[in-house]
Amino acid sequence: MSRVEFRVFATPAEVAEAAAEGFVAAARNAVAAHGQFVVALSGGRTPHMAYHLLRTAPVPWSQTHVFWGDDRAVPQDDPASNAGEARRALLDDMDGVTIHPMDCVALDLDAAARDAEAELRAVAGGPVPVLDLVWLGMGADGHTASLFPDSPALTETERLVVATTAPDGAARLTMTYPLLNAARQVTFLVTGADKAVALAGVQAGDPTLPATAIGAAQVTWLLDAATAR
Ligand code: 6PG
């Protein structure tokens, strides 16, 4: 059974502050409980604000493994790269952290997805690795990670990571519900008035919105006032 909490803040900056605080707490609890912290980051602009706060936060980086819930099939030096952006804004300056970016430039993205699954199991066990924390965003269409409305990836029950495409046809890699919903904690970082309708739909249980089916043990929505209006 999933525990769901909605927290509303006046500004995106306050959302980022709450996200960074939650990241530190999850990291320290995980390391105390089982010696490591396994986290999956998302893309998007809201997490980016939290990255700068985490640069000076007391995170046990040397016991931290960073994965990504999704990424775009571009090189890490591309501004669209979720892994590249997190590395430039934070991770490349954090001593001791272990990062596990997906192989987004592989010619065979299905093989890259399988490799990502194997890497997750090597770090967090299996058959379904339990991530300590997953950060997710949500698009105005209710997508989360790269799980888009009407996508075949939504009905995947076996694979933990799959190759998929965004509505614009851009190739992506994404974690699937079996992996995301096995996480101890999911935190949504959602800001902007353009998300208000999708949020209301998720709160009403609209099954056509991919974010609705995220049901980890603890799901915390960090929202700004514009989204939660
Ligand atoms: C991606 C993200 C995606 C993002 C949402 C929200 O790779 O695009 O993972 O799921 O979280 O699109 O993005 P914003 O936070 O920028 O609105």
Side-chain angles (χ1 to χ4, degrees):
M1 186 65 185
S2 183
R3 291 187 314 277
V4 183
E5 175 189 22
F6 295 89
R7 298 176 62 195
V8 182
F9 300 87
T11 65
E14 290 175 24
V15 170
E17 285 169 21
E21 286 169 15
F23 186 103
V24 172
R28 298 170 77 85
N29 290 340
V31 168
H34 49 269
Q36 67 177 12
F37 174 48
V38 184
V39 60
L41 300 178
S42 80
R45 55 188 154 77
T46 310
H48 207 277
M49 290 187 278
Y51 292 157
H52 292 288
L53 298 172
L54 288 174
R55 291 180 64 87
T56 55
V59 176
W61 291 113
S62 56
Q63 289 103 334
T64 296
H65 290 266
V66 180
F67 293 87
W68 277 266
D70 72 318
D71 215 335
R72 291 87 180 279
V74 296
Q76 287 186 31
D77 62 2
D78 185 316
S81 168
N82 294 342
E85 280 303 287
R87 292 188 62 178
R88 284 183 284 275
L90 171 64
L91 298 172
D92 281 356
D93 296 332
M94 297 297 109
D95 291 340
V97 65
T98 306
I99 63 171
H100 304 272
M102 295 188 256
D103 181 4
C104 292
V105 296
L107 293 177
D108 181 345
L109 286 176
D110 181 62
R114 293 179 189 279
D115 291 346
E117 279 190 27
E119 200 161 343
L120 278 155
R121 290 193 174 104
V123 170
V128 181
V130 177
L131 303 177
D132 294 300
L133 175 63
V134 177
W135 272 7
L136 291 174
M138 184 180 69
D141 61 356
H143 85 261
T144 190
S146 285
L147 297 170
F148 292 94
D150 305 320
S151 163
L154 299 177
T155 56
E156 178 58 53
T157 58
E158 298 301 321
R159 297 283 299 276
L160 306 179
V161 181
V162 295
T164 186
T165 55
D168 64 3
R172 304 265 188 118
L173 287 165
T174 188
M175 289 183 179
T176 59
Y177 289 126
L179 177 57
L180 295 169
N181 288 344
R184 291 186 175 90
Q185 183 177 344
V186 165
T187 297
F188 277 97
L189 290 75
V190 183
T191 61
D194 61 323
K195 315 297 178 64
V197 171
L199 175 70
V202 169
Q203 290 175 318
D206 181 348
T208 67
L209 304 174
T212 301
I214 293 295
Q218 168 67 45
V219 179
T220 302
W221 290 77
L222 303 180
L223 309 165
D224 72 343
T227 303
R229 78 173 198 291

